[in-house]
Structure formats: C-alpha cells, structure tokens
Amino acid sequence: MTSGLWELVLRGAWVTVQLLVLSALLATAVAFVAGIARTHRLWIVRFLAGFYTEVFRGTSALVMIFWVFFVLPPAFGWQLVPLWAGTLALGLTYGAYGSEIVRGALTAVDPAQQEGGIALSFTPWQRMRLILLPQAVPEMVPPFSNLLIELLKGTALVSVMGMGDLAFSGNLVRLALQESAEIYTYILLVYFVIAFALTRVMRGLEKKLKAGVGKRPEKKIVVAEPVGGGVS
C-alpha cells in the first residue's frame, strides 16, 4: 500500500478508538445507573430499569444505529453527526448488557454485609457506596472486559452511516487496490492489537482492585518486657 492509503487506515483506526472510548464511557455510566436501579427498593424504579434493559438488550445494535441516525432526525428536526449517533446507539445498547453485570455483582454480595450496614444506621446510598460497590466492582471487571471487546467489534457497525472508522477505511482501500485478502488481514490485525491492549489494561485494573479485597489485617506480636528489668 502507498503511504496515503496507510494514512487512511490509521485515521480510521483513530476514529474507531475515539468511538470506543466515548461509547464505553456512556455504556459504563448507563450500566451503573440501570444496574443499581434494578436493585432499588421501589418497584417502579426496578420496573423502568428492567424495561430499558430488556428493550435495548433485545434489539439489534445495527438497527438501533439506523434508528438514531435516520429515523430520529426527521421526527425531532435535528441531525446528529455520525460520531455522536454511533456513541449514543452503541452506548445505550451495550449499557443494557452492562446493567446486568452490575446487578448480578451487587446481588452476589453477602447479605450479611447489607444487614451490617443497616445495623450501623447507614443510609441506602451509604450502604451502596461504602459496602456493596467496593466488594462488587472487582467482580465486575472480567465480564466488563469481555463486554468492552464486544463493543470494540461492534464499532464496525457505524460504517453503515458512512463514518470513516477502521472498517469503512479498510473497505475504501480494498476498492482502490482490489486486494481483499491483504487489506482485510491488516484490518483484522489492527482490531486484534487494540483488543489485546484493552485486555491487558483490564487485567491490570482487576489485579489493582482486588489487591486489598479479602486480606486480613496483619497481626503484630507484642512481647511484653518483664517489670523491673530482670531477676535479682
């Protein structure tokens, strides 16, 4: 490939990374809000969070991108740029999957921990912030890591909007060179490198979060000195 075509592929990779970061941030925020809401004591809050989860988890991410980019603009009179349309569609879709991870991790915490917070007169938010989340978040990291990789692969769907991501740029290069095997092999390698880097980062985060969980405080042995300094 020429330097110009390589530059096109690299620009596409940069667009993919931007979309991944923005949609991951939105999906994480949505996942925690919806996941915590699904454990709320009020049934209406649980119902609304569950309704959102079922709707977005049960629909196609590709159709959701079409809906956000092509259907909503005529209905509301505004148009989102492809980057923000992709971020919104992917963030809401994968946030629904993430909400189940959050809910499952919170409900897996030992109920005795919750009861201890109630005995200490903690408010529901204090119990969530000081007791449940510190124990649940480390358990969320491995499934969130898998979900992040799935989100990376899902970013290729935005190419249907004509957005210049990695998949779209690779297709342009293929059309220019008429070489499918070589170009798509390069694209697969770029996706693999990004996914591998994400996996290593998430594993490091998991180790860091679990470093202080479940450890017992160190016992210090104090040797008492005899009174009087010795035996006469």
Side-chain angles (χ1 to χ4, degrees), residues 44-68:
I44 185 62
V45 177
R46 297 195 304 271
F47 172 79
L48 292 175
F51 180 76
Y52 154 76
T53 301
E54 295 302 326
V55 168
F56 281 87
R57 194 175 57 174
T59 54
S60 168
L62 179 60
V63 176
M64 191 60 64
I65 290 174
F66 281 135
W67 183 270
V68 172

Side-chain angles (χ1 to χ4, degrees), residues 131-143:
I131 298 176
L132 297 180
L133 283 178
Q135 298 180 68
V137 167
E139 303 303 323
M140 300 177 193
V141 176

